[in-house]
Amino acid sequence: MMAKFQRFGGAMFTPVVFFVFSGIIVGLTAVFTNPAIMGDLAKEGTAWYTIWKIIDSGGWTVFNNMEVLFVIGLPLGLANKAKERASLEAFVVYMTFNYFVNQILQMFGKNVGVNINSDSATSGLKMIAGVKTLDTGVIGAILIAGIVVWLHNRYFDVRLPDWLGVFQGSAFVAMIGFFLMIPVAALFVWVWPVLQHGILQMQYFMVKSGNFGVFTYIFLEKALLPLGLHHFIYAPFQYGPAVIEGGTTLYWVKHISQFAASTKPLIQLFPEGGFAMQGMSNIFGIPGIALAFYSTAIPKNRKKLLALIVPGVLTAAFAGITEPFDYTFLFIAPALFFVHAFLAASLATTMYAFGVTGDMSAGLIDIAAKNYIPMWANHWQTYAIQWAIGIIFIGIYFVVFRFLILKFDFKTPGRSDDEMVNMFTKDDYKKKKSHSQNDNEKRNPFEVAAGAYINLLGGASNIQSVNNCFTRLRLTISNPELLATDNQFIAVGAKGVVRNKNAVQVIIGPDVTNVREEVDNLIENGGWEDFNPSKIVSDQQEENYSSYTATEAQLFAPVDGLFIGLDQLNDEVFSKKMLGDGFAIKPTNGNIYSSVEGVVESIFPTKHAIGIKSNCGAEILLHLGLDTVELEGKPFNILIKEGDHITEKTKVAEMDIDSIKKAGKEPDVINVITNMDQYKMSAIKKENNTEIKHGDPLVVLYQK
């Protein structure tokens, strides 16, 4: 459970990384558009003012879309695999949730005391990506993202029957999320207005808690860092709603210009800023610790020690990254780290008691851009007090740490007789704390297949690139001689292999997208060696087609042209019937019709292939041209959509034959039955190069 909390905390950092730069931009534009600082140059209407207002609008991108950033960012850190797809799923489900909330409020808002038409700042509503919905802040976004990640990790790899293959993966997760969001949205509409009232009371309490509240917050934020739980402390304060709606970061940047122009003390303007002072220990605490390290080091090691700690001090003070120092305490003496947490809380609380406040949670660069530069004209006295207190605390840090190091003989950097004590990183700490765990998780079938294919392809080092189309895994191989035989590929589930020097195609079928995801994952993260192809048995499930009312299907010519058998095609996948039996036509025009009555099951993104489920359950692949996947859909115009019921009279696509030929491809229209093992086909009585018209009956399929 602790590992899950730590992982969640780490994922929180994914969207947060954008805030620092955006905050600096907003802070600087507040300075450069302030006439009190820049004079007449910054008056409204000047070119200078106009340019900086344009820049300012871009700086607000992150702050105006924090919820969306968290929804997209968290899955990148939490999803077990296919992280990019998980992010897209989260965005779709989150927006579905907001649309549901909007509609429920329009119909029942008065029953819960919410007026969806209100534009008041205290209405509890917000526009998110163009949808007016409850203002649940990043808390709501995190909850929905968490639900989607759970759905993704649990259901993304679920293998559906081939005839439902189009709904596998992300589509399946989004479908479940769609229906789940209906009760979730209803629950939020009922509960959240009550929570908003409670949050307002909590904010009032936290602000009134004064110095005690600030000390407790800073101490916990620092002390919980070793456990990776500090994110749970600062996130509700910085990004809302623990102490102020929207969080201290957003509130400060929204009011920079107002605060800069005011002569009132900052503590009166922004008392909530005491909960954004954790950056003070970066600037004034770390230098004191470094001085203690230097002072207590063996003299012969001090020169080397300077080269070690000076970059760390500068990084901590200017960028707010304190990892080398923080994790060194954990290795050497955990007690020192908790002393650091106590002193950091004392430092921030003392400054707050003397009226220092603002958005000071990072390093000196960020703090200067958002505090010192814009506020200096009217609030320089506050910052003079701050630095006086800070310098005093550098001395306090130095004295306390030096005393404890010498008293308890902690082997801090430079205190070893025989070698330097190194600074450590978070990875070092995790390795020290980690224990080996048995991985008994059941492998999903796509991962099993992917691992087997990588082994049969000569290993990850033999694979230069991986891609896929509708049915094939397309690879570039370094050494073709390392590849296994076709029979070995077929034994683990492949329908065949096409080899052309370094270009290899593994024919898989509708599962290819899921298998491709697992191939990428295993190549990137390792583990493919664990799959021994000789021990993997292909598990082919038989589908029950008893639900179909028809037991046979008539296939028709889908286009005008010349009939040709599959064995005449210049493509081994089709000519050797790896995907199934069927026929092909050399078209004389680009009007493509359905070859069977049924339902459109899938349309490949590059538009060169259409999957049709006939009324008797036969799966028909209508493939437009050879290797036309490389043309990225440009020669095709698809006229139907997935789910449409079509017949031989339905025009499904238009194909630009000339552009296909100019690209060096063949425009042959191919009709293949991909689940041919469940059907038998009547004899085709057409000779090669026989002229036919679309709609001509060609062959009948019968269930076996």
Side-chain angles (χ1 to χ4, degrees):
M1 181 60 69
M2 181 61 69
K4 292 182 179 179
F5 277 115
Q6 291 172 337
R7 188 179 179 193
F8 179 83
M12 288 283 293
F13 190 72
T14 305
V16 170
V17 296
F18 296 102
F19 293 168
V20 175
F21 174 73
S22 296
I24 291 173
I25 292 297
V26 172
L28 291 177
T29 54
V31 173
F32 295 139
T33 57
N34 188 342
I37 299 174
M38 303 302 298
D40 292 343
L41 184 65
K43 284 187 175 180
E44 188 172 351
T46 63
W48 174 271
Y49 179 88
T50 302
I51 291 171
W52 280 105
K53 289 303 289 185
I54 293 173
I55 295 173
D56 180 63
S57 65
W60 281 97
T61 302
V62 169
F63 298 111
N64 287 339
N65 297 279
M66 287 201 301
E67 296 87 354
V68 175
L69 280 177
F70 274 92
V71 162
I72 295 174
L74 258 65
L76 292 174
L78 294 177
N80 292 336
K81 59 188 64 180
K83 300 176 186 294
E84 299 84 357
R85 290 175 179 267
S87 291
L88 183 59
E89 295 158 11
F91 175 73
V92 171
V93 173
Y94 179 62
M95 292 310 301
T96 302
F97 162 80
N98 286 322
Y99 273 104
F100 284 151
V101 169
N102 176 276
Q103 190 61 43
I104 293 172
L105 286 176
Q106 289 189 44
M107 300 174 68
F108 305 105
K110 62 181 181 181
N111 297 330
V112 293
V114 178
N115 180 9
I116 188 65
N117 297 314
S118 174
D119 293 323
S120 170
T122 59
S123 65
L125 301 170
K126 185 177 182 179
M127 292 291 292
I128 297 178
V131 182
K132 197 171 189 179
T133 183
L134 284 174
D135 185 5
T136 61
V138 298
I139 299 298
I142 290 170
L143 288 174
I144 301 301
I147 292 172
V148 176
V149 168
W150 183 84
L151 292 175
H152 176 86
N153 290 340
R154 186 176 180 87
Y155 296 109
F156 181 79
D157 287 327
V158 171
R159 188 170 188 173
L160 301 177
D162 284 349
W163 60 278
L164 289 175
V166 68
F167 297 113
Q168 286 180 169
S170 292
F172 191 48
V173 174
M175 287 165 55
I176 299 173
F178 178 93
F179 292 106
L180 182 59
M181 286 303 106
I182 297 175
V184 170
L187 181 64
F188 265 77
V189 169
W190 177 46
V191 172
W192 194 258
V194 179
L195 289 179
Q196 284 178 322
H197 178 73
I199 289 169
L200 288 174
Q201 298 300 315
M202 179 186 65
Q203 292 171 354
Y204 177 80
F205 170 77
M206 292 303 297
V207 173
K208 291 299 182 181
S209 66
N211 295 335
F212 174 77
V214 172
F215 181 91
T216 303
Y217 166 74
I218 299 295
F219 177 79
L220 290 176
E221 192 275 338
K222 182 64 70 176
L224 290 177
L225 179 66
L227 301 177
L229 301 180
H230 60 301
H231 304 284
F232 292 93
I233 300 298
Y234 76 71
F237 287 84
Q238 284 189 230
Y239 311 120
V243 71
I244 195 168
E245 191 64 34
T248 55
T249 299
L250 179 61
Y251 189 86
W252 178 261
V253 295
K254 278 187 174 181
H255 295 82
I256 281 181
S257 297
Q258 176 185 335
F259 294 162
S262 176
T263 57
K264 290 183 179 180
L266 286 175
I267 194 70
Q268 295 181 19
L269 296 171
F270 190 51
E272 300 85 357
F275 298 92
M277 299 276 285
Q278 58 264 42
M280 293 300 91
S281 63
N282 302 340
I283 299 173
F284 302 110
I286 296 300
I289 297 172
L291 287 173
F293 286 171
Y294 181 83
S295 173
T296 57
I298 297 173
K300 68 177 182 179
N301 288 336
R302 287 178 178 173
K303 187 174 182 180
K304 294 180 180 179
L305 180 63
L306 282 178
L308 181 68
I309 64 175
V310 168
V313 172
L314 294 177
T315 302
F318 285 93
I321 300 172
T322 63
E323 181 186 272
F325 286 90
D326 290 344
Y327 282 87
T328 294
F329 304 154
L330 295 176
F331 272 111
I332 299 167
L336 281 181
F337 186 81
F338 287 100
V339 170
H340 177 36
F342 178 85
L343 291 177
S346 301
L347 168 62
T349 304
T350 303
M351 289 183 174
Y352 185 71
F354 278 85
V356 179
T357 183
D359 185 7
M360 302 185 182
S361 59
L364 191 56
I365 295 174
D366 180 72
I367 292 172
K370 292 195 290 186
N371 296 267
Y372 299 156
I373 297 175
M375 302 292 163
W376 188 260
N378 289 324
H379 302 287
W380 65 268
Q381 301 93 336
T382 300
Y383 299 131
I385 293 172
Q386 177 191 35
W387 275 81
I389 295 172
I391 292 171
I392 292 172
F393 263 85
I394 291 177
I396 294 174
Y397 261 94
F398 169 74
V399 171
V400 171
F401 267 74
R402 186 177 187 278
F403 171 78
L404 293 174
I405 290 170
L406 295 176
K407 176 71 174 179
F408 297 100
D409 195 24
F410 293 127
K411 296 300 181 183
T412 49
R415 285 181 54 77
S416 175
D417 288 324
D418 51 354
E419 59 180 332
M420 291 287 290
V421 177
N422 293 321
M423 309 295 277
F424 298 99
T425 67
K426 185 183 292 186
D427 288 338
D428 296 325
Y429 175 70
K430 288 181 177 179
K431 289 176 182 177
K432 182 180 179 182
K433 298 291 289 183
S434 65
H435 299 281
S436 60
Q437 298 178 349
N438 293 326
D439 183 11
N440 295 321
E441 294 182 357
K442 185 179 179 180
R443 303 285 192 181
N444 72 72
F446 305 118
E447 185 182 27
V448 172
Y453 293 142
I454 294 173
N455 277 281
L456 295 173
L457 289 163
S461 61
N462 196 40
I463 300 174
Q464 295 181 10
S465 65
V466 183
N467 210 326
N468 71 278
C469 64
F470 196 64
T471 56
R472 319 178 195 191
L473 198 62
R474 296 168 175 258
L475 310 104
T476 302
I477 301 299
S478 298
N479 185 359
E481 294 181 0
L482 298 179
L483 268 63
T485 65
D486 288 7
N487 287 337
Q488 288 176 296
F489 278 95
I490 293 171
V492 297
K495 292 181 169 63
V497 182
V498 178
R499 308 162 190 254
N500 183 12
K501 297 181 180 179
N502 294 84
V504 177
Q505 299 176 23
V506 181
I507 316 305
I508 295 173
D511 292 341
V512 67
T513 301
N514 298 81
V515 174
R516 157 74 189 284
E517 288 286 348
E518 296 297 339
V519 168
D520 289 343
N521 181 56
L522 289 172
I523 290 176
E524 180 180 355
N525 300 314
W528 57 269
E529 304 92 339
D530 299 336
F531 298 88
N532 186 347
S534 64
K535 296 181 180 179
I536 297 173
V537 178
S538 178
D539 182 17
Q540 301 291 338
Q541 297 181 337
E542 294 186 1
E543 295 181 340
N544 181 5
Y545 289 101
S546 60
S547 60
Y548 291 98
T549 57
T551 59
E552 61 183 52
Q554 174 72 61
L555 300 187
F556 303 86
V559 66
D560 299 341
L562 301 178
F563 176 89
I564 54 175
L566 293 183
D567 59 345
Q568 301 297 307
L569 294 175
N570 188 25
D571 187 316
E572 290 184 2
V573 173
F574 295 110
S575 64
K576 292 185 178 181
K577 302 181 181 180
M578 294 179 183
L579 287 177
D581 207 351
F583 55 86
I585 298 172
K586 287 188 176 295
T588 54
N589 63 57
N591 298 316
I592 312 298
Y593 294 78
S594 175
S595 61
V596 70
E597 181 178 1
V599 176
V600 179
E601 287 288 303
S602 57
I603 301 172
F604 198 69
T606 51
K607 305 178 185 179
H608 75 290
I610 301 171
I612 306 170
K613 177 75 72 175
S614 76
N615 289 343
C616 74
E619 296 173 0
I620 310 300
L621 175 64
L622 191 59
H623 200 282
L624 309 182
L626 296 176
D627 288 326
T628 48
V629 63
E630 300 171 6
L631 304 183
E632 300 179 344
K634 295 177 183 178
F636 309 109
N637 178 28
I638 302 298
L639 305 176
I640 40 85
K641 62 182 183 298
E642 294 176 359
D644 283 356
H645 183 271
I646 56 178
T647 71
E648 71 275 13
K649 297 180 181 180
T650 305
K651 188 176 179 180
V652 297
E654 294 174 343
M655 180 172 68
D656 188 346
I657 296 175
D658 291 335
S659 66
I660 292 175
K661 290 181 177 179
K662 287 180 181 179
K665 309 297 181 184
E666 297 180 24
D668 299 342
V669 177
I670 305 148
N671 193 95
V672 173
I673 303 93
T674 59
N675 57 344
M676 194 65 206
D677 58 322
Q678 301 173 36
Y679 293 85
K680 56 184 178 179
M681 187 171 66
S682 64
I684 300 176
K685 298 181 179 180
K686 296 288 185 181
E687 297 291 333
N688 286 332
N689 297 317
T690 301
E691 185 175 350
I692 55 176
K693 297 291 185 181
H694 76 83
D696 287 351
L698 293 179
V699 68
V700 178
L701 292 178
Y702 303 92
Q703 285 187 5
K704 290 183 179 179

